Structures are given as C-alpha cells and as structure tokens.
Amino acid sequence: MNSLTVAGAFEIGGLPLHPLIVHLVVVLTPLTALALVLSVFWPAARRRLAIVTPLAALFVLILVPITVAAGESLKEVVGPLPAVERHETWGRMLLPWAIALFVVAAAQWAWYRFGRPGVVEERPSLARVTEVVLGVLAIGVSIGTIVMIVLIGDSGARAVWGS
C-alpha cells in the first residue's frame, strides 16, 4: 500500500482530513475544559451543562485518535520533517489528557446526578471531601489539557508556517 492510498483514506474532497478535524479538537477541547471548571465553581452552570460536559469530553476522546491517525496519514505525504516530528510527539501526548478529561467529567456528572444526595444525608464530611477532590481533579485536568492544546497547536503552526 503506497502513501497516496493511505492518505486517500483520510481525505475529504481531496483535502487532507487532519487540518479539517483538528479545528474541532482545538475548539471543543478547551470549551469542554471550561465547562468542567465552570461546573466546579458555579452550581447553576453545573445544572444546565449536566450531561453535556461528559458527552463533549467523550466526543473529544473519540476525535483525538482520529485526528492523530489523520495526522500520521498526512505525515506520510509531507515527510518526516523535524517540525512535523515535533508536532507528532506533542500530538500523541493529548490522548491521556482526553481520557482524563472524560473520566473526570463523567465522574463529576455522576456524583452530582446520583451520588451526592444520599452521602450528604449520611456523611456530610465525605460529601465535601468528594466534591473538593473532584474539583481539584477537574481544574488540574482542564489546565493540563488546555496547555497541551496550546503546545500542540504551536508546534503544528510552526510545522506549517515555519518558526
């Protein structure tokens, strides 16, 4: 199988898929992280966003490997340039963050949807500790994920436009 055949699988209308779908990841990932942090500090946002935040995080989690695979396909066409290699290295680091973003978003949603009311009645201190731990995890994962998006985007821009 030659590189044009592989690249053809990751094209839409003759355009490489990677630069098209990467923008979904670049926009949706920080928005999801922001929604997760808002849910920590703003109960009204948490109620309104509810299942939307973990669903958005799941969508990000699905998009990241597709974006990486499309990037690998594009790399076969472009070649193993140092800037592209650097971008690929950074890009591969996003999947663990996307997994963590989804897990924390799902855990936070599940806690406030199912776990919290019974625990508050029986053991209020446990409820508070759980909320603080989920909040710290949400903030940490959100910051880490956004930092990764910035680093990946910067390396990708440098790969395309030069440094």
Side-chain angles (χ1 to χ4, degrees), residues 7-122:
F10 289 100
E11 290 182 353
I12 294 178
L15 295 173
L17 186 61
H18 182 72
L20 299 174
I21 63 172
V22 76
H23 291 93
L24 282 173
V25 174
V26 166
V27 171
L28 188 58
T29 304
L31 285 176
T32 303
L34 177 63
L36 187 59
V37 170
L38 280 176
S39 295
V40 170
F41 294 110
W42 194 9
R46 181 173 50 241
R47 284 188 299 276
R48 289 179 192 251
L49 294 169
I51 191 69
V52 173
T53 303
L55 287 177
L58 178 61
F59 190 54
V60 166
L61 181 56
I62 292 167
L63 279 176
V64 167
I66 294 169
T67 305
V68 169
E72 290 171 349
S73 175
L74 182 58
K75 180 184 166 190
E76 289 182 17
V77 174
V78 173
L81 303 170
V84 173
E85 297 282 340
R86 201 167 20 262
H87 177 61
E88 179 185 19
T89 300
W90 282 114
R92 289 186 178 284
M93 292 182 197
L94 185 58
L95 185 58
W97 289 100
I99 292 168
L101 187 70
F102 171 69
V103 168
V104 172
Q108 185 185 62
W109 172 78
W111 170 251
Y112 285 103
R113 177 72 172 98
F114 302 111
R116 188 170 185 262
V119 173
V120 170
E121 294 166 6
E122 296 172 20

Side-chain angles (χ1 to χ4, degrees), residues 40 111-112 116 120 126-136:
V40 170
W111 170 251
Y112 285 103
R116 188 170 185 262
V120 170
L126 178 61
R128 187 67 188 138
V129 168
T130 303
E131 290 173 3
V132 168
V133 168
L134 284 172
V136 169

